[in-house]
Structure formats: C-alpha cells, structure tokens
Amino acid sequence: MGLDLDDHDPDWIDQSMVDAAVARTAAKARPVRLDELRLAPLSEGRCVQTLHVGSFDDEAEVLARMHDEFVPDHGLRMTGKHHEIYLSDARRVAPAKLRTILRQPVSLARSVADDPAT
C-alpha cells in the first residue's frame, strides 16, 4: 500500500522535484513511510464534499452521514475512495478549529428502469 501525495500540486511540480524533497527530508530525519511516498495524479470528476471543522477524530460521523445518507438520498453512488484536503496546519491550530474538506467521488446511480438491458 502506497502513501499518495494527493495535495493538488500545480502542474509544474514533477517527479524530480518530489524526489529532491524526499532526499532533503531523508537527510534530516527519515520518517518511517518516506519510501512509500509517490506523486499520483488525481482525476476524480463529480464529487460531493463538505467542510469539517473540528478534530480529525470526529470525521468518521460526518463521512458516515455523507456515505450512508447524502449520497444515496441524492441518487448518487460512490465511485472511488474518499479523500481529505487539509486547510489547517495541525501543528499550529487547536483540534476544535481544524478545517478539512472531506471529498467523495460519485456518479449518478442507475436504477433498473434506466438500464435498457433489463
């Protein structure tokens, strides 16, 4: 399992820049999973998202409501894994004030009536 760097980097960030940053980090102190870091494109299309304000520990309830209520109630289905966009620096912001965008790729759900093959 890799550790994806899905932080919406600008197009001018390339693998050589990531490799250089990894080398600089490794020279200081080598984080345990540093070798698993990779630059991966993110093309998600249609999504539902919400802004979560609070501790990372409290995200599970919000995600459950998104996945189990909002998505099906709006005729959608999940098409990929959810991801998070961290707007706050957890080293400098109190847990109750952390801001995180929770995003889930979706598509329109197809009903049996919509499928001409049935």
Side-chain angles (χ1 to χ4, degrees):
M1 179 170 97
L3 181 62
D4 293 336
L5 177 61
D6 291 335
D7 64 354
H8 305 282
D9 293 310
D11 291 339
W12 53 269
I13 301 286
D14 63 15
Q15 190 61 50
S16 66
M17 295 173 85
V18 173
D19 292 342
V22 167
R24 283 192 308 274
T25 301
K28 295 177 187 174
R30 188 167 201 82
V32 176
R33 298 184 67 192
L34 184 62
D35 293 331
E36 297 177 45
L37 186 73
R38 62 189 171 137
L39 181 64
L42 181 61
S43 177
E44 60 197 348
R46 181 184 298 232
C47 291
V48 296
Q49 68 180 24
T50 189
L51 173 64
H52 171 70
V53 178
S55 170
F56 298 141
D57 294 337
D58 298 331
E59 291 177 1
E61 180 183 338
V62 177
L63 287 169
R65 287 180 43 219
M66 179 187 287
H67 293 163
D68 301 335
E69 296 174 24
F70 186 89
V71 169
D73 289 353
H74 288 83
L76 303 169
R77 68 179 181 85
M78 295 182 287
T79 58
K81 59 184 179 177
H82 93 273
H83 61 276
E84 302 167 3
I85 302 170
Y86 304 110
L87 303 177
S88 303
D89 183 343
R91 298 169 297 181
R92 297 181 179 167
V93 176
K97 294 183 178 182
L98 290 170
R99 296 180 313 134
T100 308
I101 295 175
L102 306 176
R103 185 177 283 175
Q104 174 64 57
V106 296
S107 66
L108 294 175
R110 290 183 50 174
S111 69
V112 174
D114 294 336
D115 190 350
T118 58

